[in-house]
Amino acid sequence: MRIEVGCEEFPLAQAFAISRGARMTSEVLVARVAQAGLEGRGECVPYARYGESPGSVAAQISALPERFGRAGLAELLPPGAARNALDCALWDLEAKRSRRRVWELAGLPPPRPVVTAYTLSLDAPEMMRAQAARHAHRPLLKVKVGAPEDMARLEAVREGAPAARLVVDANEGWSAEVYADLSPHLERLGVSVVEQPLPAGDDAMLAEIARPVPVCADESCHDRASLAALAGKYDMVNIKLDKAGGLTEALALRDAARAAGFGVMVGCMVATSLAMAPAVLVAQGADVVDLDGPLLLAQDRADGLTYDARGVHPPVRALWG
């Protein structure tokens, strides 16, 4: 089995800003696993918030032994971007070798299109109102917040898109006091979910106060080992393959979260359709889906996912799986 990993850069359609900063490009790593003339691919986004960089993730992949399989991957790599890229590449390779689709191999029903959120980048209130108005036709908008004037931002987005469901994502950018002040207004503005209002590791107060709007763990939830610490503080978990370490763990996390009584959101980093493709399988039946990465790019990959009024569709064979 031959493994290659390479870095690719995709310009964004416009600057993308969250509470931790802004950028104009998406830098992804693609793992390629080749065997017997066939090649499987998997894409990941190394994330500095979790101590990752393109160099560190490439080094993790390059240090692997010559022989290993998907079943033993969790023993070789921790949850994170490197394991995600390889896990998804191995699923893709297995699908090509068997001439079956990944969902058949995983014992899942054929996937259907799922409605996805579209993310509004953090900006001044008047700019976010304009963003919301441009995308008011979409049924679900995700609003990036986590800075001063967030109340004005939320009011502006609601004015711009009066009919859309809203998900608010603070990316750990609020204090307990800010969350307590804004919480009643989230309900008034018709917000469906608020993601990670407080920093991971500093969120104990969520168990002590009312949560009129369901609170979703993002940075606080990586894999199944995260779930025990979330009980009583969060109502939902955001499953991302880059955090979980691939499709294998993401599917297991989804089932474990539901069994523990959590709602399920399936999210993504800003990446191409190759990264979204396996997440579409996890997103089947999810309470909230946020797989809009390719919509934020200036140009996606060839054979990219289809997005239309029904949502994001499953991948074609030429892309993945």
Side-chain angles (χ1 to χ4, degrees), residues 111-115 280 284 308 310-314:
R112 299 173 178 271
V114 288
V115 173
V280 173
Q284 301 297 302
D308 60 21
R310 297 172 62 198
V312 53
H313 289 244

Side-chain angles (χ1 to χ4, degrees), residues 104-135:
E104 297 176 275
L105 298 175
L108 301 172
R112 299 173 178 271
V114 288
V115 173
T116 178
Y118 180 87
T119 304
L120 305 182
S121 179
L122 179 65
D123 209 329
E126 59 272 19
M127 299 301 293
M128 294 191 75
R129 180 188 291 106
Q131 285 188 66
R134 286 197 299 273
H135 297 283

Side-chain angles (χ1 to χ4, degrees), residues 19-45:
S19 62
R20 283 189 287 270
R23 54 199 168 108
M24 280 298 300
T25 60
S26 174
E27 190 171 18
V28 306
L29 285 184
V30 177
R32 292 177 167 84
V33 181
Q35 189 175 49
L38 299 173
E39 180 183 86
R41 299 187 302 166
E43 179 179 307
C44 70
V45 178

Side-chain angles (χ1 to χ4, degrees), residues 99-301:
R99 297 184 181 180
R100 300 169 68 193
R101 300 308 305 267
V102 164
W103 51 85
E104 297 176 275
L105 298 175
L108 301 172
R112 299 173 178 271
V114 288
V115 173
T116 178
Y118 180 87
T119 304
L120 305 182
S121 179
L122 179 65
D123 209 329
E126 59 272 19
M127 299 301 293
M128 294 191 75
R129 180 188 291 106
Q131 285 188 66
R134 286 197 299 273
H135 297 283
H137 63 285
R138 300 182 186 274
L140 180 61
L141 296 177
K142 179 169 173 175
V143 186
K144 290 291 188 179
V145 292
E149 295 189 304
D150 276 345
M151 190 67 246
R153 289 184 176 89
L154 294 172
E155 297 278 9
V157 167
R158 180 45 85 201
E159 291 171 8
R165 289 175 59 209
L166 300 181
V167 172
V168 169
D169 186 4
N171 285 112
E172 305 179 278
W174 289 345
S175 66
E177 293 75 20
V178 169
Y179 172 71
D181 287 343
L182 290 178
S183 184
H185 299 286
L186 299 176
E187 187 176 28
R188 174 178 60 82
L189 291 169
V191 173
S192 298
V193 178
V194 56
E195 268 191 86
Q196 199 68 44
L198 307 182
D202 191 22
D203 55 4
M205 63 84 64
L206 290 174
E208 302 171 5
I209 65 171
R211 300 191 298 271
V213 171
V215 178
C216 182
D218 184 0
E219 286 85 350
S220 290
C221 180
H222 291 250
D223 60 356
R224 283 171 288 175
S226 305
L227 291 177
L230 306 180
K233 296 187 292 187
Y234 293 94
D235 308 290
M236 302 178 65
V237 297
N238 188 346
I239 300 172
K240 293 178 180 174
L241 273 67
D242 274 316
K243 293 187 301 174
L247 175 63
T248 303
E249 176 61 23
L251 289 170
L253 173 57
R254 181 186 67 179
D255 294 344
R258 286 175 174 161
F262 291 102
V264 169
M265 177 176 182
V266 177
C268 67
M269 307 300 187
V270 181
T272 78
S273 284
L274 181 57
M276 305 300 119
V280 173
L281 276 61
V282 187
Q284 301 297 302
D287 300 287
V288 178
V289 177
D290 176 28
L291 297 179
D292 65 341
L295 299 178
L296 305 176
L297 303 177
Q299 185 173 351
D300 192 14
R301 295 185 183 278

